[in-house]
Amino acid sequence: MQAQDTDTLTESQKKRVAFDQEIAGLQGKKLTAGQKSLVSMQDQIRAQLSENVALEKANREREIGKKLLEQTRSLVMETAEKQQEYANRNAQLTLSTDAYDQRVAEQQIREAFHQRRMQLDKEVTDKTSEQYVQQTAILAREQQRQLDIVRNAEQEKAAIEGDYTAGLKKGMMDWSANAGNVYG
């Protein structure tokens, strides 16, 4: 029975049990100077061994907490992706092709920067540090710049498509290029 119990003990617990057994084995025997010293310091040693047990337990709990946090983060991301997928399906039915393409491009930018911020949060423990604050500001600024690029490009495209003279010029250039290639 005791052998089975020791299989479930942590290393620190096993050391404490071994120490207690060693002290118990010294009772009633003629002790050497080293053994007398060990018996006289048994309370201090036992206290340190108990502290080691508590630290080992806290480390195990911290590791479990990390795993659970990662699982939760993964589930939340999967749910957000699923929600985005179905929102995009609905948007595809209600938006023009250009508006839908712009929406998807903006989502991709936001997601890419979200991933970068998550990676930064994993790597940096001090969220108040100057480097962290600067990096998050850079990420926010660059995300906005990329979103502005997509929005401006779509606005420029809409303006060009709305200008009949630009379309006429392009049509004439395409026609002349194709007409020149007829005999080529």
Side-chain angles (χ1 to χ4, degrees), residues 78-145:
E78 287 175 23
T79 302
E81 288 171 4
K82 187 64 69 181
Q83 181 180 7
Q84 190 66 58
E85 176 186 342
Y86 283 95
N88 282 349
R89 283 183 182 181
N90 292 338
Q92 196 169 22
L93 297 172
T94 58
L95 296 175
S96 69
T97 301
D98 289 341
Y100 175 76
D101 290 345
Q102 179 180 345
R103 176 187 172 121
V104 170
E106 288 180 14
Q107 287 172 351
Q108 289 170 342
I109 291 168
R110 285 188 193 97
E111 179 59 27
F113 279 91
H114 176 72
Q115 292 297 327
R116 288 182 176 120
R117 282 189 296 276
M118 286 182 59
Q119 186 62 35
L120 179 65
D121 286 348
K122 280 184 180 178
E123 293 172 358
V124 178
T125 54
D126 182 8
K127 307 298 188 251
T128 61
S129 72
E130 184 66 26
Q131 289 175 330
Y132 179 81
V133 171
Q134 286 177 350
Q135 191 63 28
T136 55
I138 289 169
L139 289 173
R141 184 181 66 238
E142 292 304 311
Q143 176 180 335
Q144 189 58 51
R145 286 180 63 197

Side-chain angles (χ1 to χ4, degrees), residues 1 17 21-22 24 30 40 49-50 55 77 86 95-96 111 116 125 130 143 146 154 156 158 160 174:
M1 178 75 175
V17 167
Q21 288 173 346
E22 183 178 351
K30 184 172 171 104
S40 69
L49 290 170
S50 293
L55 288 172
M77 288 178 61
Y86 283 95
L95 296 175
S96 69
E111 179 59 27
R116 288 182 176 120
T125 54
E130 184 66 26
Q143 176 180 335
Q146 289 187 20
E154 287 301 318
E156 289 171 9
I160 291 169
D174 288 348

